[in-house]
Amino acid sequence: MKKILGIVVLVAVLAAAIWWLFIRHDPVAKAEDVAEAEATVAIAAYPQQVLWGDTHLHTDNSIDAFGFGTRLGPDAALKFARGEKVMATTGMEAQLARPLDFLVIADHSDALGSTKRLYNAPRFMIQDETLLRWYDMMHESPEQSQLAIAELITAASNGTLPESLTDPEAQEENNRTVWTDHLATLDKYYEPGKFTPIAGYEWTLMPGGNNLHRVVMYRDGYDRTSQILPAPALDGDLTALFDHMDAYEESTGGKVLAIPHNSNLSNGLMFELTQADGGPMTAETARRRAMREPVVEATQIKGDSESHPFLSPNDEFAGYGDVGWEIGNLSLTAYKEDDQLAGEYLREALKRGLSIEQQTGANPYKFGMIGSTDSHTSLATGDEDNFFGKHTGNEPNGERANAEQNLGTRIGRFGWNYLAGGYAAVWAKANTRAEIFDAMMRREVYATTGPRMTVRFFGGFDFGETDFTGDWVSGAYKGGVPMGGELSDEGKAPQFIVSALKDPDGAHLDRVQIVKGWITADGTTREKVFDVVWSDMDTRRSVGGKLPAVGNTVIREEATYTNDIGAPQLQTVWTDPEYRAGQNAFYYVRVLEIPTPRWTLFDAVRFGIELSEEAQKYAVGQERAYTSPIWIGSEPAAP
């Protein structure tokens, strides 16, 4: 089998060589052009405008995306992200209402492009029985192709993939060809100051089907990223990934970070209190993880990972996007116990970070929050009225909302369980690779479930009564720290400036909340959610500590709503009324929109279908944003 794959790889390499020589421009020369273009972009003194992007998109180079039916490559993905009209795999036109500012195509590092290569190989050359069955299934029908990839995902979970898909020697040459071609494509579409493609890939560690995936994202262009290959994950561990990242930086002088995602499908393993071997977490491990993983994906198509009602029973808005995902791990090869939830959700992870810091002096979970899609269609859209599904098998059609759609071979999830979000919002000083990466490293970022709300969040001690006129943002930067920052405890209550502006094309805002987590002297972690500013504050008053619902204007039969309720903008300066001197704590903002239709209602109207009872129950929701936290403690870590 290795010999056969070697022949296929040789043909691919020769074809690629011809393509490089006669069709493609010299990538080194292109890298020089990129550097010149970047040098002309003005860098602001502080972030003036939020940039919108997706750090987690898959194309036909991903082993599962191609098998699920996707036939669009990186070129189409980049065109779509920058606002151009493309033809989706299923034959319908696709276009964003508003372009994105940046994109990370994060195809799986393991067996990069292998299903595409298998599909295009002559059948007589395939001797492995499992690969031959998958080959025939992929050629038989889209439904059989999806089933083949479901089997592949389950095999990856169980460690039973065919040898040719896991053998490094058999994969290396093909991976190098696909990777360097991809990097050159990114440079082709890079327009510094306007649109930024960023190099990256998905590292897909999945022991027993438990999701420990990361998106690996680079600061650099072709000249550095072409010197390495993406790190394999199926037989690896987190230490191996971090070692690979260290080696890249040491050998190239470049920079790289990792973004965990779908912690909600890890069955408690993503944010553990211990080392991987079960021993107490060390300060060294904690510091290394915090350095390598400055941000975490809080929300995406496969559910939302901010909070869960079991962990936050007093939070009436906990549980957004949890339904269907809390029953088990990624491939549903193992069901979930309630005591595993604490290792999966971000608010609890932030609290665990305080606990580990109290014991070791280092906080491994001092991360910011972003959203992204994890779309496997090459189409980066988090919009409810323009949702193209998780993969090509559930691009817009009249069956997808009610259909069974588990990613593995066991049944348990349905189309309506999938979310249409989300997006990554970045406060960068310019739209360039370096500035977007640096904003991620300083955690000046936030997540949304799809809407493009503009959210500012600052912490300090002497803000006073900000009137939000003039250049108040500049003053906030001078007098405090932005989201993702750290404050030294000064023995008095911290103040926070919050400003939230609705998506210009979206719904009004219901309320702005500040979520606080802290640890007591005896090591107990606590949390509380504060409503700090909301619409109609003069008439809509808190009763018994609970704010009345904003109302609901959704007309389900039409999948419409009106902005007759809510507010277009909410701003305030809030001082923690329950602060205690010496308290180690974090604070982050959650912004809630008024209720709006989900993609399932748009489908019901578009295709004239009747949603199932459960799908109807969750067909309206309050979309939201989560900012990166601001921490307060006695000795904040160095930047």
Side-chain angles (χ1 to χ4, degrees):
M1 182 62 196
K2 289 184 182 179
K3 182 177 180 181
I4 293 169
L5 279 176
I7 295 172
V8 175
V9 169
L10 179 60
V11 172
V13 170
L14 288 174
I18 295 171
W19 186 77
W20 279 104
L21 288 171
F22 298 107
I23 301 175
R24 206 72 177 145
H25 293 299
D26 179 3
V28 177
K30 179 62 177 174
E32 294 174 356
D33 294 339
V34 165
E36 289 182 11
E38 286 177 328
T40 65
V41 177
I43 309 299
Y46 60 86
Q48 309 283 333
Q49 183 178 3
V50 65
L51 301 178
W52 292 97
D54 185 358
T55 63
H56 192 176
L57 179 72
H58 294 267
T59 73
D60 66 357
N61 282 328
S62 280
I63 188 171
D64 52 352
F66 185 90
F68 277 134
T70 298
R71 296 296 181 265
L72 300 184
D75 279 277
L78 291 161
K79 289 177 181 178
F80 179 82
R82 69 181 189 180
E84 296 181 36
K85 185 180 295 184
V86 301
M87 191 69 70
T89 297
T90 50
M92 63 188 74
E93 289 185 343
Q95 187 174 23
L96 286 172
R98 293 168 288 180
L100 296 178
D101 298 303
F102 64 92
L103 178 68
V104 180
I105 295 176
D107 287 314
H108 297 288
S109 62
D110 290 289
L112 193 62
S114 288
T115 41
K116 180 174 19 176
R117 193 165 74 257
L118 174 65
Y119 183 90
N120 292 326
R123 188 180 186 279
F124 73 88
M125 297 177 65
I126 304 169
Q127 297 180 354
D128 182 275
E129 291 182 2
T130 301
L131 290 177
L132 186 60
R133 186 175 75 256
W134 291 345
Y135 174 94
D136 289 338
M137 293 170 73
M138 284 195 293
H139 282 83
E140 180 178 337
S141 68
E143 293 76 20
Q144 284 297 304
S145 184
Q146 292 165 36
L147 182 57
I149 299 308
E151 289 185 13
L152 186 152
I153 291 172
T154 300
S157 302
N158 296 331
T160 58
L161 282 172
E163 180 185 0
S164 61
L165 295 182
T166 59
D167 180 62
E169 182 182 343
Q171 294 294 327
E172 182 173 350
E173 281 304 318
N174 178 73
N175 284 2
R176 187 174 301 281
T177 300
V178 176
W179 176 243
T180 54
D181 178 20
H182 172 66
L183 296 175
T185 300
L186 297 181
D187 276 359
K188 183 174 73 171
Y189 287 91
Y190 187 18
E191 299 177 76
K194 183 178 180 181
F195 178 70
T196 300
I198 299 173
Y201 61 89
E202 179 168 351
W203 185 79
T204 317
L205 183 64
M206 194 165 56
N210 299 320
N211 185 95
L212 293 176
H213 300 182
R214 271 84 172 162
V215 168
V216 177
M217 171 180 156
Y218 293 91
R219 189 180 192 264
D220 316 299
Y222 184 94
D223 55 338
R224 287 190 170 119
T225 53
S226 61
Q227 297 180 41
I228 52 90
L229 288 178
L234 291 178
D235 295 321
D237 57 35
L238 192 57
T239 298
L241 174 63
F242 290 169
D243 288 346
H244 186 272
M245 295 167 71
D246 290 345
Y248 168 77
E249 293 190 347
E250 291 169 6
S251 64
T252 70
K255 295 292 182 183
V256 60
L257 59 82
I259 308 171
H261 68 266
N262 279 125
S263 54
N264 61 330
L265 299 176
S266 69
N267 275 15
L269 297 183
M270 186 67 83
F271 303 118
E272 292 186 290
L273 287 165
T274 63
Q275 304 271 105
D277 61 7
M281 184 174 290
T282 66
E284 180 184 6
T285 296
R287 292 190 187 97
R288 193 179 195 197
R289 183 150 181 184
M291 179 186 72
R292 283 292 168 216
E293 299 180 341
V295 295
V296 173
E297 195 176 286
T299 189
Q300 62 134 279
I301 285 174
K302 298 197 303 297
D304 190 285
S305 301
E306 185 249 349
S307 61
H308 190 280
F310 179 81
L311 303 170
S312 304
N314 297 322
D315 180 0
E316 63 182 305
F317 295 103
Y320 179 87
D322 292 344
V323 177
W325 305 105
E326 78 273 47
I327 61 177
N329 62 10
L330 176 62
S331 57
L332 277 181
T333 51
Y335 289 101
K336 197 185 310 292
E337 302 294 334
D338 285 344
D339 61 3
Q340 294 174 323
L341 294 169
E344 299 197 318
Y345 285 85
L346 271 58
R347 187 186 303 174
E348 195 67 24
L350 290 165
K351 290 158 59 179
R352 284 186 165 194
L354 297 179
S355 179
I356 294 171
E357 184 176 35
Q358 188 178 75
Q359 298 170 48
T360 69
N363 185 341
Y365 304 134
K366 193 168 277 188
F367 51 72
M369 300 190 203
I370 60 168
S372 282
T373 67
D374 194 11
S375 169
H376 282 55
T377 63
S378 298
L379 306 174
T381 168
D383 303 327
E384 300 287 346
D385 60 353
N386 193 26
F387 179 51
F388 269 79
K390 165 67 175 174
H391 55 76
T392 296
N394 50 43
E395 287 185 2
N397 66 74
E399 305 296 327
R400 64 176 181 165
N402 295 323
E404 295 170 339
Q405 287 190 24
N406 185 45
L407 291 174
T409 51
R410 298 177 66 178
I411 302 302
R413 298 182 177 115
F414 297 85
W416 61 268
N417 293 137
Y418 289 75
L419 302 181
Y423 283 135
V426 175
W427 286 108
K429 298 176 184 178
N431 190 354
T432 66
R433 288 168 175 164
E435 292 301 325
I436 292 170
F437 183 96
D438 292 350
M440 295 271 190
M441 288 301 298
R442 65 177 183 267
R443 303 176 296 231
E444 198 170 352
V445 297
Y446 61 96
T448 85
T449 56
R452 303 191 191 187
M453 297 168 270
T454 301
V455 185
R456 289 280 198 182
F457 181 42
F458 295 91
F461 297 100
D462 299 301
F463 287 136
E465 293 298 323
T466 300
D467 59 9
F468 296 102
T469 60
D471 191 6
W472 67 267
V473 173
S474 175
Y477 273 109
K478 293 175 182 176
V481 298
M483 62 180 75
E486 301 175 54
L487 294 170
S488 294
D489 188 2
E490 296 187 0
K492 58 182 179 180
Q495 292 181 310
F496 299 95
I497 299 177
V498 183
S499 174
L501 178 66
K502 71 178 284 289
D503 181 331
D505 296 341
H508 275 177
L509 306 179
D510 166 13
R511 68 188 75 187
V512 173
Q513 301 175 311
I514 288 183
V515 179
K516 177 185 178 182
W518 71 97
I519 188 166
T520 63
D522 65 2
T524 303
T525 58
R526 302 187 184 279
E527 66 175 63
K528 188 169 183 178
V529 179
F530 297 88
D531 293 308
V532 298
V533 61
W534 56 91
S535 61
D536 302 311
M537 292 185 71
D538 292 337
T539 57
R540 189 174 159 220
R541 300 180 183 276
S542 178
V543 179
K546 183 177 180 180
L547 190 64
V550 68
N552 189 344
T553 66
V554 173
I555 302 175
R556 287 175 175 257
E557 296 76 15
E558 301 174 0
T560 60
Y561 70 95
T562 64
N563 275 327
D564 297 333
I565 58 175
Q569 187 171 27
L570 294 171
Q571 297 175 317
T572 193
V573 178
W574 180 78
T575 302
D576 181 2
E578 300 180 5
Y579 165 77
R580 298 292 180 270
Q583 194 172 73
N584 282 349
F586 64 81
Y587 303 80
Y588 69 87
V589 167
R590 182 170 65 185
V591 182
L592 299 176
E593 284 189 343
I594 64 173
T596 53
R598 286 190 59 214
W599 68 267
T600 49
L601 269 190
F602 285 108
D603 268 19
V605 172
R606 178 179 181 181
F607 297 109
I609 61 169
E610 183 175 344
L611 296 175
S612 69
E613 184 177 344
E614 278 195 305
Q616 271 289 1
K617 179 180 178 181
Y618 294 99
V620 173
Q622 287 188 258
E623 300 214 59
R624 54 201 64 196
Y626 312 120
T627 72
S628 295
I630 292 173
W631 289 264
I632 183 171
S634 56
E635 294 183 6

